[in-house]
Amino acid sequence: MLDQKGPTGSITPSRSPDLSPAPRPKTTPTSPAERRLRTKIDLCLIPMVMLLYLMNFIDRTNIGNAKIAGMDTDLGMVGYDYNMILSAFYIGYIVFELPAVALCKAIGPGWFLPSTAFLFGVCSISTAFIHTVPQAGAIRFLLGVFEAGMLPGSAYYLSRWYRRAELTFRISLYIVTAPLAGAFGGLLAGAILGLPRIGSVTSWRMIFLVEGIVTMGLALIAFAVLPNGPETARWLTAEERELAVERLRAERAVHSTGASPLVDKMNRVRFMRGIANPVTMSTAVVFLFDAITVQALAFFLPTIVRTIYPTETVVRQQLYTAPPYLVGVVLTVGLSWISWKVDRRQVFIVASAPLVMAGYAMFLGSRDPKVRYAATFLASSSFTLGALTNAQVSANVVSDTARSAAIGMNSLFAHLGGLVGTWAFLQWDAPHFPIGNGLNLATSTTLLLISSATLVWMKRDNRARDQRADREEEAGQSLTADEVQDLDWKHPAFR
């Protein structure tokens, strides 16, 4: 399994299927032509993907800002109503996660991502006109349905453009908009609430209206900006398109009896290979535990800040939510950049857990407002795993179909964690929330144990593959080229 420099991790069936290790790519990431191409792709793709994901997260989490601006009072929320509304989002998200990924692959991410962004923008605008708790739950369910494909779809989209080592940092550049959404969302909510009204819309309803309109506008622009892949990018020259495809094909070595397409057709065997990969499953469980913290922070940080600084104005409380997210931004981009340069991911997944553990230990051990506010900065390091885990599951499969399934499975588990996170901070547990903070300390500790065990297993598995490679090469001579491709990560040459 892949978590170190060295072989590309590709598999190479030849005209007579061969299970020997794959050759290295002909092009290297250090060649001037490839560096220029990579920079051009970065400038043309990443900003739009970042903006779409930023609005995806803002439209998801703005309910936390709306709540402390009076939404709970206006809708007559009591008891667990707020938690149930949050849960409705995750039910829609979880049920439609894998179907959304399959649809993204089927119609192409260049069409899918703008379409789904436009639809969740519509849901955000609709929230401005609700008047009851059931209406809020229904809209949040639909928001979950339409947002289900954005996280895995964006990671899958970028995997069509970047080498494995490059992918972590590029994923981080849009994942980092999640903590940015927390920071910017709080600032934006504060600014919007400073307006007297927008037409007949007032108070917290303006938050949903303005942010939904922005989302829909960006989605319309994305239709014109995002191609499905390098082959159809009009902003690349013919030579650049050829290099963009060849550098990925050379790395993945997907040549068979003819020139195999870089993007294969949907294949049930390979789809299941992506889901059943041990690294996919382990990483997905890690992301589940991490997501409990991430989503709980996203939805409840305004509430937590209000309990820490109860005498401050609502606008000032909104502003206090921004700095912890900005720290999360720096950590996410910084660790992902180092991961790209050293071509490792699992070690950084392991290293992220202790900071989160320290943050929640501080929450549990102190009643001092300054200490508890400082703890939110440490807890924000949980945002780093969004990029690292998606890049890790992408790197540990071979085919495009398996990659879409692995990323979808990772995201599915994350949002199972998000569902748990919506019940982490209950009103009767305020103001110190010992249950919610204890839960997050336990999940971050478990995350450390699982990710460490996975790192040890991956090293042992690579050694075992080296030892049995010759025997499996002989056994594989009877396989057809398609059967060799269907092995995917089970191919003995895969590392």
Side-chain angles (χ1 to χ4, degrees), residues 293 297 301 304 308 324 327 331 351-382 425 432-434 436-445:
T293 299
L297 272 177
L301 184 57
I304 294 169
I308 296 174
V327 171
L331 289 172
S352 69
L355 285 175
V356 183
M357 293 166 61
Y360 283 101
M362 290 166 63
F363 267 124
L364 288 170
S366 176
R367 297 291 183 265
D368 187 321
K370 293 181 180 179
V371 173
R372 292 171 67 80
Y373 186 56
T376 64
F377 288 81
L378 294 177
S380 70
S381 64
S382 57
F425 294 90
H432 302 302
F433 299 105
N437 293 322
L439 171 66
N440 281 284
L441 177 59
T443 57
S444 56
T445 303

Side-chain angles (χ1 to χ4, degrees), residues 189-409:
I192 294 172
L193 290 172
L195 300 174
R197 64 192 312 112
I198 300 175
S200 62
V201 178
T202 60
S203 185
W204 57 268
R205 299 178 186 275
M206 296 188 296
I207 297 175
F208 295 104
L209 179 64
V210 171
E211 293 172 358
I213 291 173
V214 173
T215 300
M216 292 174 65
L218 286 173
L220 292 175
I221 296 172
F223 278 112
V225 172
L226 300 180
N228 276 327
E231 303 95 329
T232 58
R234 289 173 293 182
W235 38 266
L236 293 177
T237 66
E239 293 78 9
E240 288 171 334
R241 285 195 292 270
E242 182 179 355
L243 176 58
V245 171
E246 180 56 32
R247 77 191 196 107
L248 298 184
R249 179 174 287 135
E251 183 185 59
R252 298 170 190 174
V254 289
H255 302 297
S256 58
T257 55
S260 297
L262 191 62
V263 179
D264 60 344
K265 293 183 179 180
M266 182 63 74
N267 178 296
R268 184 182 61 83
V269 173
R270 297 173 199 171
F271 194 84
M272 294 307 299
R273 286 275 192 257
I275 292 175
N277 185 326
V279 175
T280 298
M281 295 304 299
S282 169
T283 305
V285 172
V286 164
F287 202 17
L288 182 154
F289 287 121
D290 178 67
I292 294 174
T293 299
V294 169
Q295 301 300 336
L297 272 177
F299 289 121
F300 293 101
L301 184 57
T303 301
I304 294 169
V305 167
R306 184 168 62 179
T307 64
I308 296 174
Y309 299 108
T311 61
E312 299 287 356
T313 66
V314 171
V315 171
R316 194 166 181 82
Q317 288 171 353
Q318 301 276 13
L319 297 178
Y320 270 125
T321 65
Y325 285 116
L326 296 178
V327 171
V329 168
V330 174
L331 289 172
T332 299
V333 174
L335 281 181
S336 297
W337 184 84
I338 298 171
S339 170
W340 168 28
K341 294 304 179 181
V342 303
D343 197 8
R344 289 175 179 266
R345 290 155 297 277
Q346 192 66 27
V347 291
F348 293 104
I349 294 174
V350 173
S352 69
L355 285 175
V356 183
M357 293 166 61
Y360 283 101
M362 290 166 63
F363 267 124
L364 288 170
S366 176
R367 297 291 183 265
D368 187 321
K370 293 181 180 179
V371 173
R372 292 171 67 80
Y373 186 56
T376 64
F377 288 81
L378 294 177
S380 70
S381 64
S382 57
F383 284 100
T384 61
L385 292 195
L388 291 167
T389 58
N390 278 294
Q392 181 69 325
V393 298
S394 176
N396 279 278
V397 294
V398 179
S399 67
D400 187 74
T401 296
R403 184 168 297 104
S404 67
I407 293 173
M409 192 67 176

